[in-house]
Every structure is written in structure tokens, then in C-alpha cells.
Amino acid sequence: MRRERTGAGVGVVSLMGRSLGVVAAAAVLGACAAGTVQSRLAAVPALTVAAPEAVGLDARLRTTLDSIVVQGLTEGAAPGAALVVGRHGRIVHMRGYGRIDTASAAPLVTDSTLFDLASLTKVIGTTTAAMILEETGWLDLDRPVRDYLPELDAPDKAAITVRMLLTHSGGFVSGAPLWRDAPGRAGFLRVMNERPLAYPPGDSTIYSDWDLILTGWIIERITGQPLDSFLDERVWRPLGMRDTGFNPLSRTRVPEGQHCTVTLQPGHPLLPRIAATENDTVYRRRPVHGVVHDENACALGGVAGHAGLFSSARDLAVFAQMMIDGGQYNGVRILDANALARWTARQNRGSSRALGWDTPSPGATAGRYFSPRSFGHTGFTGTSIWVDPERGLFVVLLTNRVNPTRRSMRHEPLRRAIADAVQAAVLDAPVREWR
């Protein structure tokens, strides 16, 4: 079980020797110049491109980020990565690094390369859908889960609410290989219902895939639509996020229990645009490319509330800016601004969890300087997104760090180093370190 971490985590790698000087400069300048850059920038309805110095960032940021990412890939963090950084509606850095696979002839990563987002699905997809349904009055966060999913009728599950699912405090274990013994939705629900809880509902916080798997099914029961269809209709298409969706090689749900083998399609024309993940020696027994890496999501047909979504750096930049702009982008409103602020705020003192989202804490992947009102999430495949509404900036890092195996952990200090470099480059607002 993975309980909420509150202590120090993996150490942060060097920021090319510049971090202390930039942080000191930011602290001094921030005291007298906070907000001046944003106030003189023209409002833009959609993302545009600008130099770092145009939005109050150190002009050396791009070079610093290039150095950090190249060093990380050289040290084995992943075969490839895509990074996008934006502030005040401007993209100041967006590029790909490395290749989509370990082979020297594999295609280069670009800002439009599709990555398996893993657990970013929980926030980019499922949490967003749940927010929309709460705003319409169709979803009550404080109702028992069994009101929406009557199959979850075991006595120890009676007190679990939707809110508990979204804060990972419902009592479920952190996860289990349900694909092995109970493939398909009916089998998953049966095991979830039968297995004893790890702790009384609301008593603790254990990050669990089961929480968002169940939330995804609740969304489908309420809407009468598959999760992927609802999101495409209400989020991806309105925002113009053409790279985002489940099952990218077919964009249709795979029959449950077929181990996603029907979507492994060597030679598919889209494969050069998709980052390859693990060489699976246990489940599919072949390299995984263009198919969801997560085994449980795979057994559910590639569409699940906890994993399965694919997207690109350029699409996630749009999503992040929509969140910064209070739920709207380019004239299209997706979320209510007040609800967004409530959902992305920490829900209790004992955990860093918001509703679906996470928030910064000592040792977290957000690094040392993201402001307390920031929110973000990470994915097992090596993906992450962090949004800082106080400073109007976001950082999206996509990697395929599980290629060829999931043993590499070099991506964790890479995430922190990038986050720290971006925040340290802010010259018009004070930078305060988490302690």
C-alpha cells in the first residue's frame, strides 16, 4: 500500500549550477515587480508563442531546460520526452527530445508525439467529467457509491462516498492484478465488492486505481455514454484537442477480456507518432506500442477511469491553459471557475489530495517552488502535469520511462529538476521553498 507521503523524497538534480542565483534574483525582483509583466501583456483567447523574457521568465530558461532533459535522457530516464512550459497564455518552451523507442533509427519525439498518459487519465479525463456532472447536478459527491453502482453492496462498502473515491480515502487497497483473475467489468466489480477494505472509509489516504475505475463507471451510469465518448463530446472536441483519446490505433473500445491483443497492430501508420512503452514479458508477451500499458485498463478494453488516455504535449498545453483560465479556452467554457477552484484545493490537512488532483508537498514531483494553490498529477509511464494559477504557469512533461522496463526511476529527479528550473526562472514574483 502506498500511503500519502509527507517527508522528503528523491533528491533534486542540479539545475546546471544556476538555480541559487536565479532564485535569489527572483526573490529580489518579485518584491517590487510582481504582476507588472502580466498587467502589460495583451489578453489572448488561445495559446500563442513568446520568448521567456516576454512573460517575466529568465531568458536562459530554454537553454537550461534543454540541458536538464538531455542530461536526464543520457542517464537513462527514458528513450524520449516532450516538454511544454507556458505562462500568461504564452508557450515559452515546447519541444521533443530523444526517440519514441530505444532503437537508434526510431522516429524522433516531437510536440505532437502521443504518449500513454497512465494516471494522468484520472485528472485530464475522469475528474474533468465528474466536475462537469457535479455542475449539472447529476453527480452528488456525498452520496454513497452504491447509489450509482448497486453492485457494490458489501456491508463494509456502505459508507464509501464519491468524494472519498476522488480523495483516495474510500478504504480500497492500492491496487491488484484484476486482469489476471477477473478480466472485464463484471469480474472487477465482483472482486472489488468481495475484497475486504484496507482501512475504514475516510480514515486514511491510500492512492488507489480502484477509486477512479469506479468513478469512471459512475460517470457512464449517469450519462448513459461510454467514458471516452462523453469526454470526446464535452472536452476534447470543444477544446480542439485532436491528439487526445483512448485506443489511438482504433479509437473504439476493445472487447473486454481480450487482453488488448486485437489492437496491437504492427505497421499501423500512426505508430511512428506514438511513444512505445514496456517490453511486456508477463501479460501480452511482446513490446507494447499504441496500446495502453496498464494491464487492468487493457483488460477493460483500453477505456478506464484510471488509465488508458493518450495525448500529446501540445494538446495538454491547451488543457492546462484552460484550467488556468478558470475552465474556459478560446471562447469555449468547459468547467465552472468556482467549482474548478474548489476541486483543485487540498481537501484536508492530513493529505495533499484535492478532488482527483494532487497538490504540492515536501518531496513531491512538483519540486520545491510551486505555490500552495498549485495542482497536478503524475502517471506511471513517466508523465506529469503541474499548474500554478498564482503565477499563471504550467509545466507538462511526457516521457516513456517504462521503456524497455519499469525499473528505471531516473524520471523522478528529472521531473523535480524541470519544475524547479521553471519556477526559479520567474523574475516577477517571489519564489518560496517548500519546507
Side-chain angles (χ1 to χ4, degrees):
M1 296 184 298
R2 186 171 66 184
R3 292 188 180 272
E4 199 68 36
R5 296 186 304 167
T6 56
V10 179
V12 179
V13 299
S14 169
L15 299 184
M16 308 306 155
R18 297 178 180 175
S19 62
L20 292 179
V22 176
V23 170
V28 173
L29 292 174
C32 59
T36 58
V37 170
Q38 185 175 14
S39 63
R40 68 171 180 260
L41 284 172
V44 289
L47 284 167
T48 186
V49 177
E53 55 268 33
V55 294
L57 297 173
D58 191 286
R60 299 168 293 179
L61 177 61
R62 290 171 173 167
T63 301
T64 300
L65 292 175
D66 285 344
S67 299
I68 292 172
V69 179
V70 170
Q71 177 182 331
L73 297 191
T74 300
E75 294 175 355
L83 173 64
V84 57
V85 177
R87 191 177 193 218
H88 299 329
R90 276 78 173 171
I91 291 176
V92 299
H93 186 88
M94 182 166 65
R95 63 167 298 188
Y97 303 84
R99 298 180 181 275
I100 68 167
D101 207 345
T102 54
S104 60
L108 296 171
V109 172
T110 72
D111 59 16
S112 62
T113 297
L114 303 182
F115 284 81
D116 180 336
L117 298 187
S119 285
L120 290 196
T121 304
K122 294 179 171 74
V123 291
I124 307 298
T126 311
T127 297
T128 305
M131 290 177 68
I132 292 171
L133 294 183
E134 190 209 29
E135 181 182 348
T136 62
W138 292 354
L139 177 66
D140 183 343
L141 300 187
D142 295 311
R143 284 183 65 179
V145 172
R146 64 173 54 186
D147 285 0
Y148 299 102
L149 299 173
E151 300 94 326
L152 205 72
D153 59 2
D156 63 338
K157 312 299 190 302
I160 302 174
T161 64
V162 178
R163 186 181 301 275
M164 291 176 184
L165 296 183
L166 290 163
T167 55
H168 295 285
S169 58
F172 290 109
V173 297
S174 59
L178 298 175
W179 56 270
R180 182 178 295 156
D181 302 318
R185 181 178 310 203
F188 277 35
L189 263 171
R190 175 179 54 79
V191 173
M192 290 176 178
N193 193 46
E194 293 174 352
R195 181 165 294 189
L197 294 176
Y199 58 93
D203 180 67
S204 187
T205 300
I206 296 180
Y207 180 87
S208 175
D209 283 346
W210 292 14
D211 293 321
L212 273 295
I213 292 174
L214 291 168
T215 305
W217 290 337
I218 290 171
I219 291 164
E220 293 188 338
R221 292 286 176 88
I222 291 174
T223 63
Q225 292 180 264
L227 180 64
D228 52 343
S229 298
F230 180 79
L231 286 167
D232 186 61
E233 177 184 308
R234 299 295 295 271
V235 183
W236 316 143
R237 276 189 285 161
L239 290 177
M241 295 171 63
R242 296 188 299 272
D243 297 335
T244 305
F246 297 83
N247 289 322
L249 300 185
S250 62
R251 291 297 171 96
T252 58
R253 188 184 294 263
V254 178
E256 293 182 357
Q258 293 191 13
H259 309 292
C260 287
T261 54
V262 296
T263 58
L264 286 166
Q265 302 176 44
H268 192 288
L270 192 59
L271 285 177
R273 278 195 58 206
I274 303 177
T277 54
E278 190 171 23
N279 183 14
D280 185 352
T281 60
V282 176
Y283 184 24
R284 288 149 290 200
R285 302 185 186 278
R286 62 189 298 175
V288 179
H289 191 186
V291 174
V292 59
H293 173 264
D294 182 271
E295 295 91 346
N296 284 335
C298 190
L300 291 170
V303 180
H306 72 298
L309 196 61
F310 286 72
S311 190
S312 65
R314 64 183 184 183
D315 264 16
L316 293 187
V318 169
F319 184 89
Q321 190 61 44
M322 179 271 293
M323 298 292 283
I324 288 177
D325 287 343
Q328 66 177 355
Y329 180 82
N330 203 19
V332 175
R333 177 161 294 283
I334 303 296
L335 301 167
D336 175 74
N338 292 328
L340 191 153
R342 175 167 49 83
W343 277 64
T344 56
R346 188 172 294 194
Q347 297 297 295
N348 61 72
R349 295 180 179 179
S351 168
S352 65
R353 292 286 159 185
L355 288 167
W357 293 88
D358 201 3
T359 64
S361 60
T365 60
R368 297 174 290 178
Y369 309 121
F370 265 78
S371 70
R373 273 299 291 124
S374 300
F375 53 92
H377 212 280
T378 61
F380 186 80
T381 50
T383 58
S384 62
I385 180 171
W386 282 98
V387 178
D388 189 337
E390 288 187 20
R391 298 188 179 119
L393 65 81
F394 63 82
V395 178
V396 175
L397 174 65
L398 306 178
T399 79
N400 54 340
R401 72 97 186 172
V402 293
N403 184 339
T405 77
R406 61 186 69 188
R407 290 193 294 270
S408 172
M409 299 301 291
R410 178 61 180 79
H411 66 295
E412 291 195 353
L414 175 62
R415 286 168 172 165
R416 295 182 179 92
I418 290 170
D420 285 352
V422 173
Q423 289 286 1
V426 175
L427 300 178
D428 60 359
V431 179
R432 298 184 178 89
E433 184 171 353
W434 279 93
R435 298 186 184 277

